[in-house]
Amino acid sequence: MNKLSQACLILCSSSVLFLTGCQHFTQPQLPKNTHESANQFNLQGKIGVRTPQQSGSAFFTWSQQQQNFNIELTGILGMGKTQIQGQNGKVTLNSAKTGLITASSPEELLERATGWQAPITHIISWVQARPATTQAQTNLDANGRINHIQEDGWDVDLSYDAEQKLPNKLILKQMLEDNKENRITMVIQNR
């Protein structure tokens, strides 16, 4: 399996358009103990990964219950079904092409499989329209929703359908040398 396929699989597991409206720069204040209780969701959609070398996409179903998650990917570069599961301290990826890959965190799994480093666990917060750390910088749209997060070397653009409170599309960009970038696009079709 090529590195792009592996990156797309991992990014989904731990498993952002344009800035619109009135924007405000804010330094987020993360309420204590709300992230643990809020990390419960079910998502379905499509994810695409583009690097300077390659690109690919897959459909995903993602169930998150606190620190435990289950992600099923289909259609990624002709690979068929891939199952990714995580519990605190253990992450596994299993597919007919790769077999079983195990790591202690999504970030470690990504690096082990592809050599690429990214803050994968932050995506849990980003799909819920919130920063993952207090060091993040955010912008708000005219409706007071976060539409941009800059955090740990990534720029995340969030867009919303009408008056929805949670984003339906996220584009994550990591700038590289020579004006190149790594880009992850998540389209959330069902919540």
Side-chain angles (χ1 to χ4, degrees):
M1 174 171 38
N2 65 33
K3 291 193 182 287
L4 177 63
S5 299
Q6 294 169 340
C8 190
L9 289 171
I10 308 290
L11 288 170
C12 285
S13 71
S14 309
S15 335
V16 173
L17 267 171
F18 300 97
L19 301 177
T20 59
C22 180
Q23 300 176 11
H24 306 282
F25 173 79
T26 59
Q27 184 70 27
Q29 299 296 319
L30 301 177
K32 294 180 180 175
N33 299 324
T34 58
H35 286 261
E36 282 298 313
S37 60
N39 287 339
Q40 295 184 0
F41 55 82
N42 291 297
L43 305 176
Q44 291 179 323
K46 187 172 183 178
I47 187 166
V49 176
R50 188 175 73 207
T51 69
Q53 294 78 26
Q54 297 181 3
S55 64
S57 64
F59 292 98
F60 69 88
T61 301
W62 178 1
S63 175
Q64 184 80 36
Q65 297 295 322
Q66 310 314 25
Q67 295 302 312
N68 300 328
F69 63 86
N70 186 24
I71 298 171
E72 185 175 298
L73 301 170
T74 55
I76 183 165
L77 303 174
M79 287 183 40
K81 182 178 166 183
T82 298
Q83 192 74 31
I84 303 163
Q85 295 180 322
Q87 300 174 345
N88 198 13
K90 183 179 179 185
V91 182
T92 61
L93 179 149
N94 196 7
S95 76
K97 296 251 180 177
T98 64
L100 183 66
I101 301 173
T102 303
S104 62
S105 71
E107 288 81 4
E108 180 187 336
L109 189 62
L110 175 65
E111 188 170 5
R112 184 177 290 168
T114 67
W116 191 23
Q117 294 180 352
I120 304 306
T121 53
H122 288 6
I123 295 174
I124 294 168
S125 295
W126 296 342
V127 298
Q128 296 176 87
R130 65 176 194 232
T133 69
T134 57
Q135 291 78 35
Q137 297 176 352
T138 62
N139 291 328
L140 304 177
D141 67 10
N143 294 320
R145 302 172 297 195
I146 292 177
N147 67 356
H148 183 81
I149 301 170
Q150 186 176 19
E151 190 167 19
D152 288 337
W154 288 82
D155 284 299
V156 183
D157 294 322
L158 297 86
S159 58
Y160 301 80
D161 277 338
E163 300 298 315
Q164 295 296 313
K165 294 182 187 217
L166 295 174
N168 68 313
K169 187 172 186 178
L170 297 91
I171 299 176
L172 295 77
K173 297 175 276 189
Q174 179 187 44
M175 291 307 299
L176 305 171
E177 294 178 5
D178 299 329
N179 238 8
K180 295 179 181 176
E181 69 180 11
N182 290 324
R183 180 182 290 240
I184 303 160
T185 303
M186 292 184 70
V187 177
I188 299 169
Q189 297 162 334
N190 294 307
R191 285 188 176 268

